[in-house]
Amino acid sequence: MELNKFYIGKVGELILKGSNIKLFERQLVKNTQGYLRGLNVKVRLNSGRLYIECVDEACERVEYALNHLIGITGWAEAVVVEKNIEAIKQEVLNEALKARDNGAKTFKLESRRSDKSFPLDHYGICSEGAELAYKQKILGVNVKNPDVVIMVEVREKCFVYSNRTKGRRGLPVGVSGKGLLLLSGGLDSPVAGYRMLRRGMTIDALYFHAYPYTSDEAREKVEHLAEILSQYGLRIHINTIPFTEVQMQIKKKSPESYTTLMLRLCMMKAANMLAERIGASCLITGESLGQVASQTIENMACTESMAEFPLLRPLVGTDKEEIVEIAKEIGTYETSILPYEDCCVLFSPRHPVLRSTVEEAQKIYESLEVDDLVREAYEKREIKLYEV
Ligand code: ATP
Ligand code: MG
């Protein structure tokens, strides 16, 4: 079947990456193909443009891919025309007619010419290209605030398109190593994971489940969040570690005000083991400075003292409103606000310590004698894979 549909994406930051550029480009193409497995498509990248050719039936999936793919600043469905100004004029006219049917009143023509052998320059393409559409009074011209921008790109081929959709920007997932995301059911950690995906990191997730104090629904909720993140990260393993016994031990042995902090320390211990095992080079949490008692700078220092890997907190300087905005944009919000709690009041101290010292936290941790339980819990982890 003929590949009659054509999409063009604009590659983002890669341009800045000097000698690594080939590696980055290859990853971006590979990721794009990852969304399109089993479909009749051709994916290519050349001079900062990602090209996808496909059959009609694949369009929906291709658009899904372009809407989720990290590493492009924008995309559009394009028409390939012959490399001469008459063909360009005709296609600009078609685009203008389409736009008018969709309610547009004004347009602006933009162009880019990277094929310098083409006889017209940017100005020539713009003024001549718009001629038919303008003379036939299809749309008025408005360069400041047009209803539609029609774009002509003269490259290896000539492309005409309008209505560019914004891309997700960032670096292609897979170029920045792997991180282990501590994923709970709240709003923050999925957003933290997304932020690191956008810096090119591959992510696996870790969830601590305290059945029956936290319900099956709480676990399903976290799994669903991992599934949503896999739409951007392509492949995400979620590891669930049963932490009930560890929590009981903390409750039994720790001063009440320290229980939450001790739980965080135990989580770090288990996370170290898993990170080592899966070849992750950092841990990621959704912590944000001052958000809750365990997230004062002093208590964060205590948590961090247990981490054997760099502990990344991409949301540390972000406020709740900004986090909510991103959660809505990436589609985790509705799931995150479901009521199933990921921690139980039974284990929440009434007066949590606000500013522990690292020494005090370590001392209390030692007195819990919880290392063996943490290891046993880690050994019992269950793994699920979500893929686009
Ligand atoms: P979130 O919105 O991500 O749940 P939060 O504001 O509720 O965060 P805390 O509950 O203090 O904050 O958790 C801080 C961070 O610790 C979370 O962002 C997450 O990375 C990690 N974390 C907390 N609970 C769990 C859990 N049950 N499993 C895995 N990670 C967890
Ligand atoms: Mg939480």
Side-chain angles (χ1 to χ4, degrees), residues 31-87:
N31 292 354
T32 311
Q33 287 164 336
Y35 285 97
L36 305 172
R37 276 191 308 267
L39 294 172
N40 196 354
V41 295
K42 212 157 96 187
V43 180
R44 238 161 18 89
L45 197 150
N46 189 12
S47 316
R49 291 292 181 279
L50 180 71
Y51 301 110
I52 306 178
E53 289 169 74
C54 68
V55 294
D56 282 328
E57 295 74 48
C59 284
E60 201 177 313
R61 187 66 188 169
V62 169
E63 291 180 19
Y64 173 90
L66 290 165
N67 277 326
H68 290 83
L69 180 70
I70 291 174
I72 55 172
T73 58
W75 64 271
E77 188 187 340
V79 176
V80 183
V81 300
E82 273 179 50
K83 229 190 254 188
N84 66 61
I85 191 64
E86 290 312 316

